[in-house]
Amino acid sequence: MEEELKCPVCGSFFREPLILPCSHNVCLPCARTIVVQTPESEHLPHAGRPLMLMGADYDFPDHLDKMSLYSETDSGYGSYTPSLKSPNGVRVLPPAPAPSLSSSSSRALHGPLCSSSSITCPQCHRSASLDERGLRGFQRNRLLETIVQRYQQERGFTPGAEGNAAAAETACGASTSARCQLCDNNPAEAAVMCEQCDVLYCSSCQKKCHPTRGPFAKHRLVPAAHITQPGPNAHRPSTANATRKFPTCADHELENYSMYCLNCRTPVCYQCLQEGKHGKHEMKALGIMWKQHKAQLSQALSGISDKAKEAKEFLVQLKSILQQIQENGLEYEACLVAQCDALVDALNRQKAKLLTKVTKEREHKFKVVWDQINHCTLKLRQSTGLMEYCLEVIKENDPSGFLQISDALIKRVQSSQEQWVKGALEPKVSPEFDLTLDNEPLLQAIHQLDFIQMKLPPVPLLQLEKCCTRNNSVTLAWRMPPFTHNPVDGYILELDDGDGGPFREVYLGKETLCTIDGLHFNSTYNARVKAFNSTGLGPYSKTVVLQTSDVAFFTFDPNAAHRDIVLSNENMTATCSSYDDRVVLGTAAFSKGIHYWEIQVDRYDNHPDPAFGVARINVVKDMMLGKDDKAWAMYVDNNRSWFMHCNSHTNRAEGGVCKGTTVGILLDLVKRLLIFHIDGKQQGPIAFENIEGVFMPAVSLNRNVQVTLHTGLEVPMIYRQTKPQN
């Protein structure tokens, strides 16, 4: 809360806070430092007050244009020459110098200076001009001042300590008297200060710029002997220790506030009403408005309190998420390191196997070459010895001795020569290794090594507020839980048969909203959904129980009607454009239970034979209902009625129809019966023996008949005991 109690200009606790027109607050001493003098041609509109000019017209020097403030209707911000800066970065203006007059003739021509004071909010930068009362025209925020004092006392601050320290600092730094704020180069000693304008004047400037006539006649001028020059850190001594006075009207100091002006949204006194300023405004008692605004503030605080509570819970959740992120991050890092280490270990093992193969291949080549070297060396030594021996024999001159051994030597030489067969002097192995390591797939796999989805999708959350039933259809909606990053490829929705039987798949896709039509009326269905992705099927959601309608609401179906059928009244009324009988079906389909609906005859001309009953979806639609094997009906004229199926007429009964007649149709799929009522008189029943499937309400008529359908009706009491318990 401390930030709410500090001035946006000086950064200290508020001292004599003023309420600006934009509802922001600023200290009175600080407000004086951000007030600027604005030329008449650039003055701002007052915040809810008429502009009061300071004297007659005057031509301003060019240098004052640099200090002009523009209203929200122009650029939306104030522009001025900054000189000082407060702790929070808000610009603080120096005292505005008075314009110099060029000559005495100019003064005589133009008269005194005409300007107005403007102030710019340091928070929202909205600007407003001051009226003749100056800063005292703004209301003082007494509640904020009280809260600041109480806050300082509760936390051990010495009330007024900041103000006294600032006052002491100002006194030390202002050993000279206060100076005029309107003089040029060398400001003269201030003589008076206007409490309404909050400006210091020397005698000369006071006569020129603040005459004691006209609008300034009511301004209060006080001696400036003990007033120091205001600056960024200067302000009046705090009144924290002063005795609190009961608030009085700013315009009438002897009157207490008693009413609240709804137009001006400000407290007023009785004299304000008498003088006519607020005479035509709407007023309310101050106490009533006080309680009313307190109640509004309390109500608003209740809402923000709930949001603050949610925000605290959300912060706790976020901190918990941070902890989980830290833990999961460390876990994943350890897992990644272990997996990469396992890959390195596998690669090292494979490297050892490959090195073993290279070693075996090298040793094999060594052995083959060494065997070849040894064999060749032996043969070479034998051949060389034989060759040297033969050369010695040839050197001998003993013919007979030579011939004794020559044949044997020739054979040995020939035999030795034959040992050097073709290929004997060729190496059996190549120095090259026929081993090529195929590492491209592995390198590619390493480059493609990345995280993949290995987790199943989480449990979908059924959105019960969006799940509903209508007639014999159900709509289900679901979503994935928050903070779920596992991809979902689709969903599978399952529904039971309405009798507690096994679940069956009714939807497969990516949508999270699904409507299933064609269910049984008055039945209870259980539904569940699960998500799937490339990894597999996720777990099932919770089971939701859905109850279809007890009674059927339906209309005539334009898509299941002969083209000569004419529908109106939102498809509840049917007639025909042909003299031949044409068939129209209803939008409902029945396969179990007991159902009842009525058809009212709106028009009946020339004694036609309309037929009422049920039919299959593929019934023939260009002839009377019941003439084929796809329909069961009662056709009726103005005197009698007959049951008809497969063009067989049975069970003729007395009683016909006319305009205004109501025909009731009861379809009992428990006992397999079709019963008719004409104005309450029962006709029938027709038995459905060994017939299963889906039946739809049906009517056949021609252009002489018009009927209106009535649905959503309860089964007559006499038939309810046969209604199944679902």
Side-chain angles (χ1 to χ4, degrees), residues 489-672:
D489 296 336
Y491 303 92
I492 297 175
L493 177 63
E494 296 182 353
L495 204 70
D496 67 0
D497 59 358
D499 285 328
F503 283 91
R504 68 187 191 279
E505 182 180 311
V506 295
Y507 172 75
L508 173 65
K510 295 183 178 181
E511 300 297 328
T512 58
L513 182 71
C514 181
T515 298
I516 303 100
D517 298 317
L519 302 178
H520 300 306
F521 287 92
N522 194 25
S523 299
T524 301
Y525 286 89
N526 296 300
R528 63 187 184 183
V529 65
K530 60 182 176 181
F532 64 87
N533 57 19
S534 57
T535 304
L537 296 172
Y540 282 106
S541 68
K542 293 182 179 179
T543 301
V544 61
V545 180
L546 299 166
Q547 174 72 38
T548 55
S549 177
D550 293 340
V551 294
F553 293 87
F554 58 92
T555 65
F556 290 120
D557 188 355
N559 298 319
H562 192 275
R563 62 179 177 273
D564 294 336
I565 294 293
V566 179
L567 300 179
S568 60
N569 188 25
E570 297 182 347
N571 296 334
M572 297 299 291
T573 300
T575 186
C576 184
S577 61
S578 172
Y579 284 106
D580 296 324
D581 291 315
R582 302 295 187 233
V583 174
V584 57
L585 303 180
T587 56
F590 306 116
S591 59
K592 59 178 287 190
I594 304 175
H595 309 280
Y596 179 75
W597 64 97
E598 293 180 349
I599 297 177
Q600 181 177 340
V601 180
D602 300 329
R603 180 167 52 82
Y604 186 79
D605 302 328
N606 303 322
H607 310 297
D609 299 329
F612 314 95
V614 295
R616 305 285 194 187
I617 185 65
N618 57 345
V619 64
V620 179
K621 298 183 177 67
D622 57 358
M623 60 183 181
M624 181 182 290
L625 193 67
K627 285 193 174 183
D628 62 356
D629 62 346
K630 303 296 190 298
W632 294 259
M634 175 191 74
Y635 76 93
V636 58
D637 59 15
N638 61 325
N639 293 319
R640 296 172 298 277
S641 64
W642 294 264
F643 293 111
M644 186 162 61
H645 175 63
C646 292
N647 204 23
S648 174
H649 305 252
T650 60
N651 295 46
R652 189 181 77 170
E654 297 298 325
V657 297
C658 61
K659 180 180 179 181
T661 298
T662 299
V663 178
I665 300 98
L666 177 75
L667 177 62
D668 187 348
L669 293 175
V670 178
K671 293 185 176 181
R672 319 301 297 177

Side-chain angles (χ1 to χ4, degrees), residues 15 158-171 235-241:
R15 302 177 304 279
T158 301
E162 292 184 350
N164 295 334
E169 179 184 348
T170 303
H235 54 80
R236 295 178 181 175
S238 175
T239 58
N241 292 326

Side-chain angles (χ1 to χ4, degrees), residues 357-374:
K357 289 184 178 180
V358 173
T359 301
K360 289 182 178 179
E361 181 70 11
R362 184 184 66 221
E363 292 176 351
H364 171 70
K365 288 180 178 290
F366 274 162
K367 183 178 183 302
V368 171
V369 172
W370 277 114
D371 289 345
Q372 212 172 359
I373 289 174
N374 294 333

